[in-house]
Amino acid sequence: MTDVSQIRQPTGVYNPPGLHRPSDQYSDGSPISLIATATLVANSADSPNNVALKNPTPHPIELTEIRFHAHTSSLAIEGGAVGFKLEIGGVGSISDDFVQMWLFDKSSQLTRGETLQDAASTITNYMSEADYVWQLDTPLYIKSGETLAATFQHYGLISEDIVIDITYCGRVLVGHPTPRFRTIPFLAKWQGDSIDLTFITAAFPQTITAETDSTEVDLVNSQAQPVTVRRMIGRLLTLPTSTDNSQLSDEVQLLNDQIFDVNLRTSHGYELTRDFYPFRLVFGRDTRAYPGGFVLQPGDYVLAQVRASQNGITPLAGVYPTLITPVIPQISLIGERQVSL
Amino acid sequence: MPTVIQPPWQTGYPVLLSDSITLDLTAAAGVTKQLNSQRLSNTYNTAVAIDELRFYVRPTAPAVTTGAATIGSHFDFGSFITAFCSVNGLHLMQNAVHLRSLGTLWQSDLTYGGYQKGFAGPTRHFTYPTTFFRWVFPEPLWIGRQGALDIRVAADAIASRPNDPSVDVPNVTVYVAALGRLQPVSQPQMVAYPYVAEYASTGITARAGTAFPAFAMASDPVFRNPFMNPITIERITNSLYLTSTNVGRQVDMLSNFPDPITMRLTDSRGNAIGGASGSSPIPLGGFIDPRTGDWTINRILDAYQFMYLELYANTDVNFGTQPIWYPRVAFSGTHLAELVP
């Protein structure tokens, strides 16, 4: 490294030794953000320019949060339309599969709906942009030159291209000893079967229900280390219909709130809930989150059962079935594991 | 019958205790019902620490006013459904507290909030209105082995909620969930118990012309500390419940215009907390952050001391249609007490 204090400066310029270090402008705690963008066509996976996501500093950095931004040219979009997969070379992937953008962390209420749109709409309270922030419970240590590589998946739920921005925010670590272990985030997700809600328009009274259950390979700790689960996120993805925009109304969200219940337990039989409770009670309607705190040993898993019941829903002329669209429940596990560095 | 859960469950594992009850909103005198304490009891072999209570309200049948009707019904069940909570006989509330007063606005879901009827403007009315509130405790609430939450929920009498939508939604189911985590077998001797007291004012007509003889707390010790230890008041919350036939949504009025009511708050030693005795009362917006609906004060209220609250109609500002306001003011805090057996 050049000793800049020895560089001759123009006469009259005050430049005491050690003040300017052009080859290493970082000091401990310097903020850093790494940004990459990609445009996805429907039903495709792609990576952004991962070189832009490489730690460019001569020092390790720690990431404190990851920000997701998606937008289309005109159609309403929510976090269920795009999946992410993050991977550190030589360490492994943070998730086994693509995980939907809105399953990474608690809702920050930047976007509140869960309904997609695939037709021009006159309804103006839905946006063609969606933002989500994943605040890491423990900062993620990235060595100099290491890359947390991202891959995106467009699920084809809407027909337009989706432009994705991903941003890593953190700080530079200068002069810190290299830790023996580092904490790697962990994600697992389950996407249930699409539930057709047309049954609620049938004559009543009746007790028809529809149910979809996760299996032992969905919300599972697939890693070799124990995973401490920090929280679970639950979403109800409301699919678009090709021509009917009425499903974009808040009425659909409220209808889903009324219909869906959930039951959770671990593979050991520990009851995270003791019975079926309203989906929006377990996964709170403001944050979509259920608290964690439990440990999954390698191979342990969580079983989720999601049930749609009438729960007082009755057919109403003029309201249904135009509002009824298929709904896909999605649940994620968000945790951490420790690996040697 | 709930079963006693045995190890190997570990400290920190999440716990969700929940029960539900259905209320008849058409009962003229209001109705109070108690949830099943057995389902809200700690059946684990160790203590649990409850971090928050969640309240979720959904109707048992569709609202009568639906679809494209011109008369909208915009519901906020939290404005007229109350809860009263205790743990093993220790009251967590001074009185029955409206759900909306239990948390700040960000802990509530106001997407579908607000309450009005007979608003012939752009209608926002829902067939299945649901409401969600969270009461996040300043300190975790400990419940020892075999301890139980005792929770009663009630609907205000129809007479006290004029212009009421009860004819639209005759029955609702109130779900209550206590979310927390398992604690070590060793228990603390002293615990910071949450405590809430609420004053729900009678109607105050805006622009009444003269100072409304609002309220004198001295004769009604709602805001008295009944305990032998000081209460640390974390925050004061405010909500304005209004009735009118031609004003905007309550949520909008609350967010933008908390000032139809003025307030003066002193303690029983004569110290001014908000507005000095003898001076003009100050509009609520001077105390309450309209973004959150609360005022963080972190103030000690000594044993047996109280706060003196006065509320007036604000006669300085033209609020146009002269609706009737029902301000609710609550304080939320903690007090130290021995762990109840």
Side-chain angles (χ1 to χ4, degrees), chain B residues 102-254:
Chain B
L102 291 175
T104 51
L105 292 189
W106 61 266
Q107 293 165 349
S108 309
D109 186 333
L110 289 182
T111 302
Y112 317 114
Y115 163 60
Q116 71 177 63
K117 180 174 180 174
F119 175 40
T123 55
R124 285 178 60 83
H125 48 272
F126 301 109
T127 314
Y128 295 97
T130 57
T131 308
F132 178 81
F133 293 96
R134 298 165 69 207
W135 180 19
V136 180
F137 300 139
E139 301 283 344
L141 169 64
W142 280 69
I143 301 179
R145 290 176 57 186
Q146 311 302 320
L149 279 167
D150 180 353
I151 298 179
R152 280 168 277 166
V153 294
D156 288 347
I158 290 178
S160 66
R161 44 188 170 105
N163 229 356
D164 175 88
S166 62
V167 293
D168 285 348
V169 179
N171 295 300
V172 294
T173 300
V174 181
Y175 294 83
V176 180
L179 281 86
R181 54 199 68 252
L182 298 181
Q183 295 299 310
V185 174
S186 61
Q187 300 179 5
Q189 282 193 320
M190 301 292 283
V191 172
Y193 283 98
Y195 188 71
V196 174
E198 180 200 52
Y199 170 58
S201 167
T202 54
I204 297 176
T205 302
R207 300 197 72 221
T210 57
F212 188 83
F215 202 76
M217 300 301 294
S219 61
D220 188 350
V222 173
F223 289 162
R224 182 185 296 275
N225 176 1
F227 302 108
M228 296 176 64
N229 289 322
I231 293 177
T232 301
I233 300 175
E234 181 204 25
R235 64 177 184 253
I236 290 177
T237 62
N238 165 70
S239 64
L240 289 178
Y241 162 92
L242 70 89
T243 62
S244 178
T245 57
N246 58 352
V247 294
R249 292 185 296 152
Q250 184 218 17
V251 58
D252 296 333
M253 299 299 283
L254 174 61

Side-chain angles (χ1 to χ4, degrees), chain B residues 271-295:
Chain B
N271 300 313
I273 302 174
S277 178
S279 65
S280 296
I282 298 173
L284 277 176
F287 304 104
I288 306 293
D289 185 341
R291 295 169 301 176
T292 60
D294 79 349
W295 176 24

Side-chain angles (χ1 to χ4, degrees), chain A residues 251 257-258 270 274 282 285 314, chain B residues 14 43 54 56 59 109 130:
Chain A
E251 185 85 72
D257 289 357
Q258 183 86 8
Y270 183 80
R274 293 182 176 180
V282 175
R285 194 159 73 180
T314 56
Chain B
T43 55
R54 293 179 178 179
Y56 179 73
D109 186 333
T130 57

Side-chain angles (χ1 to χ4, degrees), chain A residues 312-339:
Chain A
I313 298 285
T314 56
L316 294 168
V319 179
Y320 307 115
T322 57
L323 295 175
I324 294 172
T325 57
V327 173
I328 299 178
Q330 297 175 338
I331 294 175
S332 68
L333 281 174
I334 301 166
E336 296 175 327
R337 61 190 172 102
Q338 284 202 322
V339 298

Side-chain angles (χ1 to χ4, degrees), chain B residues 248-270:
Chain B
R249 292 185 296 152
Q250 184 218 17
V251 58
D252 296 333
M253 299 299 283
L254 174 61
S255 299
N256 301 320
F257 308 110
D259 293 342
I261 304 298
T262 59
M263 181 176 88
R264 187 159 49 213
L265 187 65
T266 56
D267 68 16
S268 48
R269 294 189 170 114

